[in-house]
């Protein structure tokens, strides 16, 4: 599973590396992905649960789904892939993680600049008056709660048909355009607009490397596809880059 010399050379000279991640990067922490055969959507369709109509129809059901996932996320530990991404910061002038994940594992692994495109499972807000509810105690309550205004309290995540946070989108698209190297790690490249980011990098001359155990719509366009688990290949890349830098 050797990374190419071209990739190592690009990294050695890189000013900005963007690491764009999806559910696959957390799979080795024991968190279910969405679209693999044993993933979340195999049991629950997104139409049923990851949209605002489902929440309005049955807030308790959607809340319980998030509480179960939150429990898995808070009990999980960052894996070797998350840690290698954080370690890149010691070798490259600027590293930014742009994640679709809501599990907070990149920050817990030590990544200093993480853009959360699809929000965070660790926060909530009122669906009616949009007041924020950041008290961690809410993350373990089995009953869906109501705000003082009477609105239901929902997770601060981006559901289908909803806009991504404008500030996150603005930074992410700018950084993808400026990236010397963009890694797309553990994402099916199926959910838009996030899936556009590697293409923004490609159009602006960035070197795009896909790390995914399977192929995706990005695979034929990427400069390299490394078909290995991220927890195995990312530490390898970081190790080789560190050796190269030490040897000057
Ligand atoms: C490994 C590995 C290992 C495993 N190592 N690899 C038709 C065409 C185009 C777009 C649309 C369309 N119809 C509708 C849309 C828009 C829609 C969309 O994209 N739909 C597509 C599904 C078709 N997008 C939206 O609605 C977005 N908003 C929007 O467009 O706003 C404008 C608008 C407004 C009004 C009306 C219409 C448009 C919002 C998208 C929000 C996505 N939300 C979710 C839920 C978040 C909260 C939660 O987690 O509960 O985000 S859905 C889900 O998918 C989640 C994920 O972040 C996202 C991406 O999934 P990801 O990360 O790619 O996971 P998987 O499981 O799919 O893939 C894992 C990969 O890892 C696999 O490839 C494995 O092989 C690999 N892997 N283990 C390396 N160890
Ligand atoms: Zn309210």
């Amino acid at each position: 599973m050797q990374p190419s010399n071209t990739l190592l050379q690009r990294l050695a000279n890189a000013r900005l590396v963007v690491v764009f991640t999806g559910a696959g990067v957390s799979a080795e922490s024991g968190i279910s992905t969405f679209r693999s055969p044993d993933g979340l959507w195999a049991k629950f369709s997104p139409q049923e649960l990851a949209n605002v109509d489902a929440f309005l129809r049955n807030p308790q059901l959607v809340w319980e789904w998030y509480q179960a996932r939150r429990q898995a996320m808070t009990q999980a530990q960052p894996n070797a892939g998350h840690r290698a991404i954080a370690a890149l910061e010691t070798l490259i002038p600027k590293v930014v993680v742009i994640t679709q994940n809501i599990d907070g594992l990149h920050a817990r692994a030590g990544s200093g600049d993480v853009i959360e495109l699809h929000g965070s499972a660790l926060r909530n807000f009122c669906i009616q008056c949009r007041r924020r509810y950041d008290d961690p105690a809410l993350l373990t309550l089995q009953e869906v709660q109501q705000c003082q205004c009477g609105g239901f309290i929902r997770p601060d995540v981006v559901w289908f048909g909803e806009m991504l946070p404008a500030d996150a989108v603005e930074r992410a698209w700018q950084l993808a355009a400026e990236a010397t190297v963009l890694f797309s790690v553990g994402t099916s490249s199926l959910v838009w607009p996030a899936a556009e980011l590697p293409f923004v990098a490609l159009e602006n001359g960035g070197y795009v490397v896909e790390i995914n155990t399977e192929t995706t719509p990005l695979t034929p366009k990427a400069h390299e596809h490394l078909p290995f688990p991220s927890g195995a290949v990312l530490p390898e890349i970081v190790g080789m880059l560190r050796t190269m830098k030490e040897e000057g």
Side-chain angles (χ1 to χ4, degrees):
M1 79 171 77
Q2 290 265 315
S4 73
N5 282 334
T6 317
L7 170 58
L8 291 170
Q9 280 302 337
R10 293 264 177 166
L11 287 172
N13 298 319
R15 286 167 289 104
L16 167 65
V17 171
V18 166
V19 188
F20 170 56
T21 66
V25 80
S26 294
E28 290 159 86
S29 294
I31 298 177
S32 291
T33 62
F34 292 92
R35 294 171 186 80
S36 54
D38 58 347
L40 283 175
W41 298 151
K43 286 172 243 157
F44 306 98
S45 83
Q47 286 73 12
E48 278 174 76
L49 297 176
N51 70 75
V52 75
D53 294 334
F55 185 73
L56 293 173
R57 225 174 14 247
N58 195 342
Q60 181 62 29
L61 174 71
V62 175
W63 180 259
E64 278 174 25
W65 186 55
Y66 277 95
Q67 296 310 77
R69 291 175 59 207
R70 283 168 158 164
Q71 197 182 356
M73 289 172 191
T74 48
Q75 286 173 359
Q77 296 304 321
N79 64 54
H82 296 108
R83 290 195 299 272
I85 292 167
L88 265 184
E89 289 176 24
T90 61
L91 300 166
I92 288 160
K94 185 169 174 183
V95 178
V96 181
V97 177
I98 304 175
T99 189
Q100 298 166 86
N101 299 343
I102 61 169
D103 56 30
L105 288 176
H106 284 299
R108 282 172 56 200
S111 282
D113 194 351
V114 183
I115 300 175
E116 295 180 315
L117 286 179
H118 292 165
S120 168
L122 308 177
R123 302 186 300 259
N124 294 280
F125 70 93
C126 166
I127 198 152
Q128 199 161 281
C129 72
R130 305 190 82 80
R131 180 180 158 175
R132 283 178 61 150
Y133 283 89
D134 291 342
D135 184 350
L138 274 171
L139 305 180
T140 51
L141 294 180
Q142 286 315 300
E143 289 281 313
V144 62
Q145 304 292 303
Q146 279 172 281
C147 175
Q148 294 153 346
C149 80
F152 283 105
I153 294 172
R154 58 163 279 184
D156 189 2
V157 300
V158 181
W159 284 329
F160 285 114
E162 295 184 327
M163 305 297 280
L164 278 56
D167 47 346
V169 166
E170 192 180 335
R171 266 200 90 208
W173 263 252
Q174 183 75 39
L175 287 159
E178 291 169 6
T180 319
V181 176
L182 180 143
F183 286 102
S184 173
V185 187
T187 175
S188 56
S189 293
L190 290 174
V191 175
W192 291 79
E196 194 190 350
L197 282 169
F199 294 94
V200 172
L202 283 171
E203 280 159 18
N204 287 278
Y207 193 76
V208 172
V209 181
E210 181 178 48
I211 296 177
N212 195 311
T213 44
E214 309 289 335
T215 57
T216 75
L218 174 65
T219 312
K221 307 280 182 205
H223 291 98
E224 296 187 29
H225 173 221
L226 302 173
F228 307 105
S230 47
V233 73
L234 282 164
E236 186 110 346
I237 293 170
V238 170
M240 290 179 82
L241 183 62
R242 185 174 288 128
T243 308
M244 245 174 106
K245 292 240 165 178
E246 280 165 5
E247 287 169 357

